[in-house]
Amino acid sequence: MSQHKISEVLEDVKKEFELANKQDSEVDARWLLAELLGCSMTELTLIQEKILSDEIYLSFMNSIQRRLAGEPLQHILGYQNFYGYDFKVNGHVLIPRCETEELVEKAISIIKEKRMKDVIDMCCGSGCIGITLLKECADIKAYGVDVSFEAISITHENGLNLNVSDRLTLYESDLFQELPKISVDMIISNPPYIPTDTIHSLSTEVKDREPSLALDGGMDGLDFYRRIVLEGKPYLKEGGYLLFEIGYDQMEAVCRLMEENDYQHVKGYKDLSGNDRMVIGHK
Ligand code: GLN
């Protein structure tokens, strides 16, 4: 096999991405190679003249083929960083998004201010919300709930990897159905919220590679908010908080749902990109 100098390999791969009209993903190539070499992206630029071993070269080219075929970078790497913690991900869970970090940040400040003790992460997926709360708030316990057994298995693994499994209890359940009668200080949820008939308009990488179970919010996208607002109330202590991530056009509807169900001080918040993104209220 011929020698594979890093700079030349990256140049070839760049051309492949250009040919496939995927220039935007070219930076992913550097990321994948840095990961395989166990170095940072900056370090990678300093070793451009080095020769790759055949083994690394072959697995790099394999990753590149997967990426060119439309597999998300995070599925190839096997993880996504969220709030400074690496979460294992695969096709059974939603890839954690940075908008959700903003919801988690709000939750952390409420938990600390009100000295809360326990939270339910409803529709936990990878577990990024509940597990991050456990990492950041050392005194709390969390209950993670997801309807998908595969998702719950990933949450479990992430809890173990991040050393919080002693404070994390998981339920495979359609929302509150299988939950015992507990009452908590906070319910937090990023439920599926895309209206069924707009799923086709999402990018192919999302609609073909991420689980539709985690995206599909029913005809108007609000099915899960309706149910969580109603079914969650008995699980909240008096004064307990309900925090939602929402779609950019759902603030009014979700605020109204909460107000109609007598939640107090219901308020919507924008994310850093200026889109409506969160609704928070308390019992
Ligand atoms: N709670 C997970 C997340 O925020 C999963 C959300 C979902 O499945 N809709 O990424």
Side-chain angles (χ1 to χ4, degrees):
M1 203 183 289
S2 58
Q3 289 212 318
H4 300 291
K5 195 195 273 189
I6 292 182
S7 57
E8 288 164 9
V9 171
L10 284 173
E11 200 47 46
D12 289 348
V13 164
K14 186 175 171 190
K15 282 187 203 127
E16 278 203 61
F17 276 102
E18 275 164 13
L19 274 175
N21 217 355
K22 293 193 168 180
Q23 289 87 335
D24 291 354
S25 311
E26 196 237 313
V27 60
D28 296 354
R30 293 172 180 277
W31 195 311
L32 287 161
L33 186 54
E35 178 81 8
L36 282 170
L37 291 167
C39 69
S40 69
M41 300 265 270
T42 327
E43 280 161 352
L44 186 65
T45 62
L46 302 174
I47 55 168
Q48 299 268 333
E49 300 311 303
K50 289 230 162 93
I51 307 291
L52 291 176
S53 71
D54 290 348
E55 197 190 341
I56 297 230
Y57 174 74
L58 288 175
S59 44
F60 179 56
M61 291 324 274
N62 178 273
S63 302
I64 294 300
Q65 291 319 314
R66 289 171 66 184
R67 189 70 193 96
L68 283 168
E71 207 173 324
L73 172 69
Q74 294 85 346
H75 288 178
I76 307 172
L77 292 168
Y79 71 89
Q80 166 68 44
N81 193 276
F82 181 87
Y83 219 90
Y85 305 106
D86 282 345
F87 285 85
K88 176 179 168 165
V89 292
N90 62 21
H92 294 294
V93 295
L94 212 64
I95 298 168
R97 308 291 206 267
C98 53
E99 296 86 72
T100 309
E101 291 179 326
E102 297 183 48
L103 178 73
V104 165
E105 199 170 359
K106 287 222 176 333
I108 293 168
S109 66
I110 296 172
I111 290 171
K112 294 203 163 153
E113 190 198 317
K114 310 266 176 211
R115 297 175 189 277
M116 291 182 168
K117 291 273 166 249
D118 36 28
V119 308
I120 293 175
D121 175 3
M122 184 48 78
C123 310
C124 58
S126 65
C128 62
I129 297 178
I131 292 172
T132 303
L133 294 178
L134 289 171
K135 293 300 286 182
E136 297 291 316
C137 310
D139 297 329
I140 64 161
K141 282 193 303 189
Y143 302 89
V145 185
D146 204 286
V147 71
S148 149
F149 170 74
E150 289 84 1
I152 279 291
S153 312
I154 299 287
T155 320
H156 176 66
E157 239 182 279
N158 282 323
L160 284 173
N161 291 341
L162 292 163
N163 294 316
V164 294
S165 44
D166 53 331
R167 292 184 287 135
L168 177 63
T169 310
L170 298 175
Y171 295 98
E172 180 190 341
S173 166
D174 177 10
L175 300 187
F176 297 91
Q177 272 177 27
E178 309 298 324
L179 250 63
K181 288 212 167 0
I182 47 172
S183 58
V184 295
D185 293 313
M186 176 183 281
I187 298 173
I188 183 167
S189 184
N190 175 22
Y193 58 66
I194 313 288
T196 309
D197 61 6
T198 62
I199 289 188
H200 71 272
S201 65
L202 301 175
S203 74
T204 46
E205 230 166 78
V206 174
K207 70 170 184 242
D208 295 347
R209 304 286 179 156
E210 298 205 66
S212 59
L213 205 56
L215 297 169
D216 192 340
M219 220 160 71
D220 62 358
L222 299 171
D223 281 6
F224 291 88
Y225 299 109
R226 257 181 225 108
R227 286 184 57 195
I228 295 170
V229 160
L230 194 70
E231 296 169 28
K233 223 169 167 193
Y235 289 84
L236 277 177
K237 292 176 199 165
E238 221 37 63
Y241 275 69
L242 178 57
L243 285 78
F244 280 129
E245 178 169 322
I246 55 158
Y248 71 95
D249 56 357
Q250 294 173 327
M251 189 179 295
E252 217 184 288
V254 175
C255 283
R256 191 166 344 111
L257 273 174
M258 284 180 66
E259 277 158 0
E260 282 167 2
N261 284 277
D262 291 326
Y263 286 83
Q264 310 295 308
H265 298 113
V266 176
K267 204 170 162 225
Y269 300 85
K270 289 186 187 302
D271 62 23
L272 290 171
S273 326
N275 294 316
D276 288 348
R277 185 60 66 187
M278 296 160 264
V279 173
I280 301 178
H282 65 81
K283 187 164 152 182

